[in-house]
Amino acid sequence: DVVMCICSIHLLSDYKKVISEMKRVSKEYVVITMLKKAKNYKEVSTFIEENFEIRKILEEQKDLIFICT
C-alpha cells in the first residue's frame, strides 16, 4: 500500500499531525510532494526527514518528492 499527499502538506496548519497519521496508517510506502517555494518548505521537509526513513528524494522543477517508508 501507498499513502500519498500531493502538493498540499505545506498548506496545512497542522502538517505534523497529518504526517504522523500518514505514518500510522501506511503499511509500506509514503509519498509526499511539496512545492519548493513554499514559505515553510524547510520546516516541513525537516519534519518529514525526522519522521520517516527516506528512500529517495526526487527534485523536480517546482516540487520535491519524498519517497519514504
PDB file of all heavy atoms in Angstrom, residues 1 3 6 9 12 18 22 29 31 34 36-37 39 42 44 51-52 54-55 59 62-63:
ATOM      1  N   ASP A   1       0.827  -1.192   0.000  1.00  0.00           N
ATOM      2  CA  ASP A   1       0.000   0.000   0.000  1.00  0.00           C
ATOM      3  C   ASP A   1       0.869   1.253   0.000  1.00  0.00           C
ATOM      4  O   ASP A   1       1.979   1.251   0.513  1.00  0.00           O
ATOM      5  CB  ASP A   1      -0.889   0.029   1.219  1.00  0.00           C
ATOM      6  CG  ASP A   1      -2.029  -0.964   1.141  1.00  0.00           C
ATOM      7  OD1 ASP A   1      -2.063  -1.756   0.188  1.00  0.00           O
ATOM      8  OD2 ASP A   1      -2.879  -0.940   2.025  1.00  0.00           O
ATOM      9  N   VAL A   3       0.546   5.516   0.837  1.00  0.00           N
ATOM     10  CA  VAL A   3      -0.185   6.685   1.307  1.00  0.00           C
ATOM     11  C   VAL A   3       0.465   7.883   0.641  1.00  0.00           C
ATOM     12  O   VAL A   3       1.692   8.012   0.669  1.00  0.00           O
ATOM     13  CB  VAL A   3      -0.113   6.809   2.843  1.00  0.00           C
ATOM     14  CG1 VAL A   3      -0.801   8.070   3.306  1.00  0.00           C
ATOM     15  CG2 VAL A   3      -0.715   5.581   3.506  1.00  0.00           C
ATOM     16  N   ILE A   6      -0.181  14.913  -2.166  1.00  0.00           N
ATOM     17  CA  ILE A   6       0.358  15.582  -3.347  1.00  0.00           C
ATOM     18  C   ILE A   6       0.170  17.100  -3.234  1.00  0.00           C
ATOM     19  O   ILE A   6      -0.951  17.601  -3.240  1.00  0.00           O
ATOM     20  CB  ILE A   6      -0.327  15.059  -4.637  1.00  0.00           C
ATOM     21  CG1 ILE A   6      -0.285  13.537  -4.696  1.00  0.00           C
ATOM     22  CG2 ILE A   6       0.281  15.697  -5.874  1.00  0.00           C
ATOM     23  CD1 ILE A   6       1.090  12.933  -4.749  1.00  0.00           C
ATOM     24  N   ILE A   9       0.729  19.360   1.648  1.00  0.00           N
ATOM     25  CA  ILE A   9       1.181  19.273   3.039  1.00  0.00           C
ATOM     26  C   ILE A   9       1.630  20.626   3.574  1.00  0.00           C
ATOM     27  O   ILE A   9       1.377  20.960   4.729  1.00  0.00           O
ATOM     28  CB  ILE A   9       2.289  18.199   3.195  1.00  0.00           C
ATOM     29  CG1 ILE A   9       2.438  17.795   4.650  1.00  0.00           C
ATOM     30  CG2 ILE A   9       3.616  18.640   2.627  1.00  0.00           C
ATOM     31  CD1 ILE A   9       1.361  16.935   5.176  1.00  0.00           C
ATOM     32  N   LEU A  12      -1.208  22.976   5.086  1.00  0.00           N
ATOM     33  CA  LEU A  12      -1.962  22.568   6.268  1.00  0.00           C
ATOM     34  C   LEU A  12      -1.389  23.211   7.530  1.00  0.00           C
ATOM     35  O   LEU A  12      -0.176  23.214   7.742  1.00  0.00           O
ATOM     36  CB  LEU A  12      -1.937  21.049   6.401  1.00  0.00           C
ATOM     37  CG  LEU A  12      -2.481  20.293   5.182  1.00  0.00           C
ATOM     38  CD1 LEU A  12      -2.219  18.802   5.335  1.00  0.00           C
ATOM     39  CD2 LEU A  12      -3.956  20.579   4.999  1.00  0.00           C
ATOM     40  N   VAL A  18      -0.864  15.509  10.429  1.00  0.00           N
ATOM     41  CA  VAL A  18      -1.159  14.796   9.173  1.00  0.00           C
ATOM     42  C   VAL A  18      -0.032  13.820   8.837  1.00  0.00           C
ATOM     43  O   VAL A  18      -0.278  12.659   8.498  1.00  0.00           O
ATOM     44  CB  VAL A  18      -1.391  15.788   8.015  1.00  0.00           C
ATOM     45  CG1 VAL A  18      -1.516  15.068   6.686  1.00  0.00           C
ATOM     46  CG2 VAL A  18      -2.613  16.650   8.292  1.00  0.00           C
ATOM     47  N   MET A  22      -0.243   9.792   8.546  1.00  0.00           N
ATOM     48  CA  MET A  22       0.200   9.076   7.340  1.00  0.00           C
ATOM     49  C   MET A  22       1.144   7.938   7.728  1.00  0.00           C
ATOM     50  O   MET A  22       1.038   6.827   7.205  1.00  0.00           O
ATOM     51  CB  MET A  22       0.901  10.038   6.373  1.00  0.00           C
ATOM     52  CG  MET A  22      -0.028  11.035   5.730  1.00  0.00           C
ATOM     53  SD  MET A  22       0.850  12.248   4.728  1.00  0.00           S
ATOM     54  CE  MET A  22       1.324  11.214   3.346  1.00  0.00           C
ATOM     55  N   TYR A  29       4.791   2.246   1.985  1.00  0.00           N
ATOM     56  CA  TYR A  29       5.351   3.476   1.444  1.00  0.00           C
ATOM     57  C   TYR A  29       4.481   4.700   1.713  1.00  0.00           C
ATOM     58  O   TYR A  29       3.265   4.613   1.750  1.00  0.00           O
ATOM     59  CB  TYR A  29       5.546   3.364  -0.077  1.00  0.00           C
ATOM     60  CG  TYR A  29       6.616   2.393  -0.454  1.00  0.00           C
ATOM     61  CD1 TYR A  29       6.290   1.120  -0.909  1.00  0.00           C
ATOM     62  CD2 TYR A  29       7.961   2.737  -0.341  1.00  0.00           C
ATOM     63  CE1 TYR A  29       7.287   0.216  -1.259  1.00  0.00           C
ATOM     64  CE2 TYR A  29       8.955   1.848  -0.684  1.00  0.00           C
ATOM     65  CZ  TYR A  29       8.621   0.582  -1.136  1.00  0.00           C
ATOM     66  OH  TYR A  29       9.595  -0.302  -1.471  1.00  0.00           O
ATOM     67  N   VAL A  31       4.389   8.699   0.103  1.00  0.00           N
ATOM     68  CA  VAL A  31       4.914   9.633  -0.885  1.00  0.00           C
ATOM     69  C   VAL A  31       4.327  11.003  -0.572  1.00  0.00           C
ATOM     70  O   VAL A  31       3.114  11.156  -0.473  1.00  0.00           O
ATOM     71  CB  VAL A  31       4.544   9.208  -2.327  1.00  0.00           C
ATOM     72  CG1 VAL A  31       5.039  10.236  -3.330  1.00  0.00           C
ATOM     73  CG2 VAL A  31       5.114   7.834  -2.642  1.00  0.00           C
ATOM     74  N   MET A  34       5.872  18.416  -2.221  1.00  0.00           N
ATOM     75  CA  MET A  34       5.623  19.784  -1.769  1.00  0.00           C
ATOM     76  C   MET A  34       6.345  20.766  -2.679  1.00  0.00           C
ATOM     77  O   MET A  34       7.349  20.428  -3.293  1.00  0.00           O
ATOM     78  CB  MET A  34       6.027  19.984  -0.321  1.00  0.00           C
ATOM     79  CG  MET A  34       7.477  19.799  -0.016  1.00  0.00           C
ATOM     80  SD  MET A  34       7.864  20.040   1.723  1.00  0.00           S
ATOM     81  CE  MET A  34       7.505  21.747   1.943  1.00  0.00           C
ATOM     82  N   LYS A  36       8.710  23.628  -3.720  1.00  0.00           N
ATOM     83  CA  LYS A  36       9.981  24.133  -3.200  1.00  0.00           C
ATOM     84  C   LYS A  36       9.885  25.594  -2.781  1.00  0.00           C
ATOM     85  O   LYS A  36      10.643  26.036  -1.930  1.00  0.00           O
ATOM     86  CB  LYS A  36      11.088  23.962  -4.246  1.00  0.00           C
ATOM     87  CG  LYS A  36      11.447  22.512  -4.486  1.00  0.00           C
ATOM     88  CD  LYS A  36      12.716  22.385  -5.297  1.00  0.00           C
ATOM     89  CE  LYS A  36      12.440  22.477  -6.757  1.00  0.00           C
ATOM     90  NZ  LYS A  36      13.621  22.173  -7.582  1.00  0.00           N
ATOM     91  N   LYS A  37       8.938  26.326  -3.343  1.00  0.00           N
ATOM     92  CA  LYS A  37       8.819  27.741  -2.998  1.00  0.00           C
ATOM     93  C   LYS A  37       7.874  28.003  -1.815  1.00  0.00           C
ATOM     94  O   LYS A  37       7.619  29.152  -1.472  1.00  0.00           O
ATOM     95  CB  LYS A  37       8.368  28.555  -4.208  1.00  0.00           C
ATOM     96  CG  LYS A  37       6.955  28.258  -4.681  1.00  0.00           C
ATOM     97  CD  LYS A  37       6.589  29.140  -5.848  1.00  0.00           C
ATOM     98  CE  LYS A  37       5.146  28.910  -6.256  1.00  0.00           C
ATOM     99  NZ  LYS A  37       4.758  29.763  -7.357  1.00  0.00           N
ATOM    100  N   LYS A  39       6.528  28.702   1.816  1.00  0.00           N
ATOM    101  CA  LYS A  39       7.118  29.510   2.896  1.00  0.00           C
ATOM    102  C   LYS A  39       7.722  28.637   3.996  1.00  0.00           C
ATOM    103  O   LYS A  39       8.740  28.969   4.573  1.00  0.00           O
ATOM    104  CB  LYS A  39       6.078  30.440   3.491  1.00  0.00           C
ATOM    105  CG  LYS A  39       5.646  31.538   2.563  1.00  0.00           C
ATOM    106  CD  LYS A  39       4.588  32.406   3.208  1.00  0.00           C
ATOM    107  CE  LYS A  39       4.097  33.458   2.227  1.00  0.00           C
ATOM    108  NZ  LYS A  39       3.024  34.265   2.785  1.00  0.00           N
ATOM    109  N   LYS A  42      11.433  24.463   4.467  1.00  0.00           N
ATOM    110  CA  LYS A  42      12.498  23.875   5.300  1.00  0.00           C
ATOM    111  C   LYS A  42      11.922  23.186   6.530  1.00  0.00           C
ATOM    112  O   LYS A  42      12.326  22.080   6.885  1.00  0.00           O
ATOM    113  CB  LYS A  42      13.499  24.945   5.732  1.00  0.00           C
ATOM    114  CG  LYS A  42      14.473  25.305   4.670  1.00  0.00           C
ATOM    115  CD  LYS A  42      15.452  24.183   4.487  1.00  0.00           C
ATOM    116  CE  LYS A  42      16.584  24.644   3.588  1.00  0.00           C
ATOM    117  NZ  LYS A  42      17.409  23.552   3.152  1.00  0.00           N
ATOM    118  N   VAL A  44       8.845  21.938   7.048  1.00  0.00           N
ATOM    119  CA  VAL A  44       8.085  20.728   6.715  1.00  0.00           C
ATOM    120  C   VAL A  44       9.022  19.617   6.245  1.00  0.00           C
ATOM    121  O   VAL A  44       8.907  18.467   6.676  1.00  0.00           O
ATOM    122  CB  VAL A  44       7.001  21.025   5.656  1.00  0.00           C
ATOM    123  CG1 VAL A  44       6.287  19.747   5.237  1.00  0.00           C
ATOM    124  CG2 VAL A  44       6.004  22.043   6.177  1.00  0.00           C
ATOM    125  N   ASN A  51      10.878  11.973  10.608  1.00  0.00           N
ATOM    126  CA  ASN A  51       9.832  11.007  10.952  1.00  0.00           C
ATOM    127  C   ASN A  51       9.727   9.803  10.035  1.00  0.00           C
ATOM    128  O   ASN A  51       8.940   8.897  10.313  1.00  0.00           O
ATOM    129  CB  ASN A  51       8.482  11.727  11.012  1.00  0.00           C
ATOM    130  CG  ASN A  51       8.367  12.545  12.262  1.00  0.00           C
ATOM    131  OD1 ASN A  51       7.994  12.029  13.302  1.00  0.00           O
ATOM    132  ND2 ASN A  51       8.736  13.812  12.188  1.00  0.00           N
ATOM    133  N   PHE A  52      10.486   9.777   8.972  1.00  0.00           N
ATOM    134  CA  PHE A  52      10.454   8.655   8.040  1.00  0.00           C
ATOM    135  C   PHE A  52      11.860   8.236   7.670  1.00  0.00           C
ATOM    136  O   PHE A  52      12.802   9.022   7.767  1.00  0.00           O
ATOM    137  CB  PHE A  52       9.725   9.042   6.741  1.00  0.00           C
ATOM    138  CG  PHE A  52       8.257   9.237   6.879  1.00  0.00           C
ATOM    139  CD1 PHE A  52       7.722  10.515   6.936  1.00  0.00           C
ATOM    140  CD2 PHE A  52       7.393   8.164   6.952  1.00  0.00           C
ATOM    141  CE1 PHE A  52       6.359  10.712   7.053  1.00  0.00           C
ATOM    142  CE2 PHE A  52       6.030   8.347   7.073  1.00  0.00           C
ATOM    143  CZ  PHE A  52       5.505   9.628   7.121  1.00  0.00           C
ATOM    144  N   ILE A  54      13.851   7.896   4.641  1.00  0.00           N
ATOM    145  CA  ILE A  54      13.749   8.431   3.286  1.00  0.00           C
ATOM    146  C   ILE A  54      14.425   7.459   2.323  1.00  0.00           C
ATOM    147  O   ILE A  54      15.620   7.181   2.447  1.00  0.00           O
ATOM    148  CB  ILE A  54      14.406   9.824   3.171  1.00  0.00           C
ATOM    149  CG1 ILE A  54      13.837  10.790   4.206  1.00  0.00           C
ATOM    150  CG2 ILE A  54      14.266  10.367   1.755  1.00  0.00           C
ATOM    151  CD1 ILE A  54      12.372  11.081   4.079  1.00  0.00           C
ATOM    152  N   ARG A  55      13.648   6.926   1.395  1.00  0.00           N
ATOM    153  CA  ARG A  55      14.186   6.009   0.382  1.00  0.00           C
ATOM    154  C   ARG A  55      14.786   6.779  -0.789  1.00  0.00           C
ATOM    155  O   ARG A  55      15.803   6.394  -1.341  1.00  0.00           O
ATOM    156  CB  ARG A  55      13.110   5.063  -0.134  1.00  0.00           C
ATOM    157  CG  ARG A  55      12.577   4.130   0.910  1.00  0.00           C
ATOM    158  CD  ARG A  55      13.649   3.184   1.335  1.00  0.00           C
ATOM    159  NE  ARG A  55      13.117   2.221   2.264  1.00  0.00           N
ATOM    160  CZ  ARG A  55      13.799   1.220   2.724  1.00  0.00           C
ATOM    161  NH1 ARG A  55      15.042   1.039   2.350  1.00  0.00           N
ATOM    162  NH2 ARG A  55      13.270   0.392   3.581  1.00  0.00           N
ATOM    163  N   GLU A  59      13.956  15.627  -7.055  1.00  0.00           N
ATOM    164  CA  GLU A  59      13.836  17.074  -7.176  1.00  0.00           C
ATOM    165  C   GLU A  59      13.386  17.409  -8.591  1.00  0.00           C
ATOM    166  O   GLU A  59      14.102  17.188  -9.554  1.00  0.00           O
ATOM    167  CB  GLU A  59      15.169  17.750  -6.861  1.00  0.00           C
ATOM    168  CG  GLU A  59      15.027  19.232  -6.737  1.00  0.00           C
ATOM    169  CD  GLU A  59      16.229  19.898  -6.094  1.00  0.00           C
ATOM    170  OE1 GLU A  59      17.024  19.203  -5.432  1.00  0.00           O
ATOM    171  OE2 GLU A  59      16.361  21.111  -6.263  1.00  0.00           O
ATOM    172  N   LYS A  62       9.614  22.339  -9.863  1.00  0.00           N
ATOM    173  CA  LYS A  62       8.910  23.124  -8.839  1.00  0.00           C
ATOM    174  C   LYS A  62       8.657  22.363  -7.546  1.00  0.00           C
ATOM    175  O   LYS A  62       8.316  22.967  -6.535  1.00  0.00           O
ATOM    176  CB  LYS A  62       7.567  23.615  -9.387  1.00  0.00           C
ATOM    177  CG  LYS A  62       7.705  24.571 -10.543  1.00  0.00           C
ATOM    178  CD  LYS A  62       6.348  25.029 -11.025  1.00  0.00           C
ATOM    179  CE  LYS A  62       6.501  25.991 -12.175  1.00  0.00           C
ATOM    180  NZ  LYS A  62       5.219  26.487 -12.653  1.00  0.00           N
ATOM    181  N   ASP A  63       8.785  21.058  -7.582  1.00  0.00           N
ATOM    182  CA  ASP A  63       8.407  20.217  -6.445  1.00  0.00           C
ATOM    183  C   ASP A  63       9.578  19.391  -5.938  1.00  0.00           C
ATOM    184  O   ASP A  63      10.533  19.109  -6.656  1.00  0.00           O
ATOM    185  CB  ASP A  63       7.309  19.229  -6.839  1.00  0.00           C
ATOM    186  CG  ASP A  63       6.047  19.895  -7.322  1.00  0.00           C
ATOM    187  OD1 ASP A  63       5.768  21.012  -6.884  1.00  0.00           O
ATOM    188  OD2 ASP A  63       5.355  19.282  -8.150  1.00  0.00           O
TER     189      ASP A  63
END
